Amino acid sequence: QSVLTQPPSVSAAPGQKVTISCSGSSSNIGNNYVSWYQQFPGTAPKLLIYDNNKRPSGIPDRFSGSKSGTSATLGITGLQTGDEADYYCGTWDSSLSAGVFGGGTKLTVL
Amino acid sequence: QVTLRESGPALVKPTQTLTLTCTFSGFSLSTSGMCVSWIRQPPGKALEWLALIDWDDDKYYSTSLKTRLTISKDTSKNQVVLTMTNMDPVDTATYYCARTMVQGPMGTGYFDYWGQGTLVTVSS
């Protein structure tokens, strides 16, 4: 059971927009920065978003992040078949003094 | 160019101790804000954060695995070592090391570079 809660799966058509939610508590998302990771089968996760809403160099602006209270959201616009992957949110939990991840969300581009 | 590479045994027996080494380049673990984390992923399952060591040699562990984990660093060799005792088949997973950037409090941290991962199978 992951500390952060994500929907197991989301789907949308090519060209559309999708959002992936990540729910936590005041000890993690509520008081710390959230990051998001993209993982294709058989490969290591890749950083997509850090500091709630910042994109590393090379990440297209189709990917965005936001945070409100104890929840965070990853948004992907202009969906492409190449976006089909697993997406994870992560943050620090101040009560646990430990890193925590969500359970992951599988994105299907129909 | 930042790179990280995990190394260690692919197969361990139940009750044995696992020792994994993360060898990195392109940054120094003595620089303020630099950390290295270990993260694992059982087949078909989610990421699980295990441990972190920072530039000041402070160490943090997963609450559920704390009694079994030890993380250490050798700054001169650019290596971070994770040991996990009393291995069990449920510990079968791909183990990743990742550079962790912290901009002050730990709550600002994120994993910006990852190794390719190493699959560890626990079986007799």
Side-chain angles (χ1 to χ4, degrees):
Chain A
Q1 192 80 354
S2 301
V3 172
L4 307 180
T5 301
Q6 296 180 236
S9 63
V10 296
S11 62
Q16 296 300 304
K17 174 182 178 178
V18 71
T19 60
I20 298 173
S21 61
C22 176
S23 178
S25 68
S26 58
S27 66
N28 43 67
I29 291 178
N31 284 283
N32 294 301
Y33 286 159
V34 177
S35 51
W36 289 91
Y37 304 88
Q38 177 189 57
Q39 185 181 34
F40 296 106
T43 69
K46 174 184 176 181
L47 178 66
L48 276 183
I49 298 289
Y50 68 99
D51 290 1
N52 302 328
N53 55 18
K54 297 177 182 176
R55 285 177 285 106
S57 174
I59 301 300
D61 58 7
R62 300 189 298 109
F63 295 89
S64 64
S66 65
K67 188 183 97 166
S68 178
T70 59
S71 294
T73 301
L74 173 69
I76 310 173
T77 59
L79 276 173
Q80 303 172 1
T81 56
D83 296 330
E84 283 202 339
D86 293 324
Y87 292 84
Y88 293 90
C89 57
T91 187
W92 187 257
D93 192 296
S94 302
S95 295
L96 301 174
S97 288
V100 291
F101 285 103
T105 299
K106 182 177 180 61
L107 169 63
T108 301
V109 181
L110 303 168
Chain B
Q1 180 188 5
V2 174
T3 64
L4 301 98
R5 185 183 77 250
E6 306 88 351
S7 58
L11 179 66
V12 297
K13 290 180 168 48
T15 75
Q16 286 187 335
T17 294
L18 171 68
T19 299
L20 294 173
T21 301
C22 176
T23 302
F24 58 88
S25 63
F27 68 98
S28 172
L29 202 37
S30 58
T31 300
S32 179
M34 293 293 176
C35 316
V36 170
S37 295
W38 284 95
I39 297 153
R40 72 178 179 180
Q41 185 173 37
K45 296 189 177 181
L47 301 172
E48 179 184 17
W49 180 87
L50 299 177
L52 177 152
I53 189 164
D54 73 12
W55 69 96
D56 209 22
D57 209 35
D58 290 322
K59 300 158 188 174
Y60 301 85
Y61 297 101
S62 162
T63 303
S64 61
L65 295 168
K66 188 171 187 174
T67 60
R68 299 173 53 205
L69 294 173
T70 302
I71 192 170
S72 62
K73 66 183 174 76
D74 186 329
T75 304
S76 64
K77 292 183 178 179
N78 280 354
Q79 290 182 332
V80 171
V81 174
L82 181 75
T83 62
M84 180 179 292
T85 61
N86 194 25
M87 293 293 284
D88 183 273
V90 299
D91 296 313
T92 293
T94 296
Y95 287 75
Y96 297 99
C97 61
R99 188 177 83 162
T100 310
M101 292 291 294
V102 171
Q103 305 157 84
M106 279 298 161
T108 63
Y110 55 92
F111 314 107
D112 60 347
Y113 290 93
W114 297 64
Q116 64 184 16
T118 186
L119 176 62
V120 177
T121 301
V122 184
S123 174
S124 55

